[in-house]
Amino acid sequence: TYFFALSPHALIMNPTLNLRTHIFSPKTLEKVMLREKPVVPPDSVIKTFGNLKGDRIDLILTQDGEGLCQGSFIVKNGEWAKFFLDTWFDPLYRSYNFQKAEAHALEHIVQWHPTILTKLALIPHRLLNTYNVDIASRGGKDNLYKEGDFVVRLVGCETDPKRSCEDEFEEFYVRLKKGKVG
């Protein structure tokens, strides 16, 4: 079984999509995994492995122009998932004072702990995590939501005083209710 973590500032826009066939079947994962890609863009010397098999993956993430995206990820339930989550939220990493808190803690453990990197699949951003606003540093228009995408994330709505998460949710919720999805 799998655990799908979703940001509270995100909405599943295509609820008919079967995640098993869309993302986490080993066969599908092997087709969509980003191989030999810098873990932290644009030029991290640590890259995803090129020879991983889909049945060996326990953590599925996307990345944008700023780094790994923890707003929407999938982890395979089991002992490794417990290890991963315990490591990520270990008080030692919490006390490091990373600039972007858990995001940089995640990037650190993925890059510098091979036990985690060997279980990671980076997949194209659009498969699991699109945005409702055009943010150049996060990939710009390439990462904007399009009809049929699985998830839209209202990235930054909670930190920008000029934006309203509720109003932005309403726009997408109305589209979802009208059936303008998938």
Side-chain angles (χ1 to χ4, degrees):
T1 58
Y2 293 85
F3 174 76
F4 174 38
L6 185 62
S7 165
H9 301 103
L11 186 62
I12 294 173
M13 294 298 293
N14 192 345
T16 62
L17 200 65
N18 181 329
L19 279 180
R20 184 168 309 282
T21 56
H22 180 64
I23 295 173
F24 58 67
S25 79
K27 188 176 180 178
T28 302
L29 265 176
E30 287 182 24
K31 288 179 186 174
V32 300
M33 282 192 311
L34 304 174
R35 300 171 188 275
E36 302 293 333
K37 180 146 177 100
V39 171
V40 180
D43 54 7
S44 169
V45 295
I46 309 297
K47 297 181 177 175
T48 56
F49 292 113
N51 59 349
L52 289 180
K53 300 290 182 199
D55 61 349
R56 306 281 300 170
I57 299 300
D58 286 336
L59 175 62
I60 303 167
L61 288 167
T62 65
Q63 67 178 192
D64 61 22
E66 292 185 9
L68 297 175
C69 300
Q70 77 278 5
S72 179
F73 68 90
I74 297 171
V75 65
K76 191 175 189 178
N77 191 17
E79 289 303 313
W80 188 89
K82 291 175 190 171
F83 157 75
F84 164 70
L85 293 171
D86 283 347
T87 302
W88 188 9
F89 292 101
D90 187 293
L92 177 66
Y93 292 112
R94 294 282 186 187
S95 67
Y96 274 6
N97 242 355
F98 288 115
Q99 182 183 12
K100 291 186 179 176
E102 70 273 358
H104 284 170
L106 176 62
E107 290 171 357
H108 172 83
I109 64 172
V110 167
Q111 287 185 96
W112 303 110
H113 298 271
T115 305
I116 294 173
L117 185 59
T118 60
K119 296 289 191 174
L120 169 71
L122 282 181
I123 63 172
H125 192 75
R126 184 160 301 286
L127 291 178
L128 194 60
N129 195 20
T130 59
Y131 300 143
N132 69 319
V133 292
D134 181 353
I135 302 173
S137 66
R138 290 186 171 258
K141 293 186 184 338
D142 290 342
N143 289 334
L144 279 176
Y145 172 80
K146 294 179 186 164
E147 294 297 328
D149 287 340
F150 178 54
V151 169
V152 63
R153 188 164 150 224
L154 313 177
V155 67
C157 73
E158 73 282 9
T159 58
D160 186 343
K162 297 175 186 168
R163 294 173 56 196
S164 164
C165 292
E166 293 80 11
D167 291 344
E168 292 179 26
F169 259 114
E170 184 66 23
E171 172 194 344
F172 286 96
Y173 186 69
V174 166
R175 288 164 83 174
L176 181 64
K177 283 181 71 171
K178 285 183 180 178
K180 293 190 172 202
V181 297

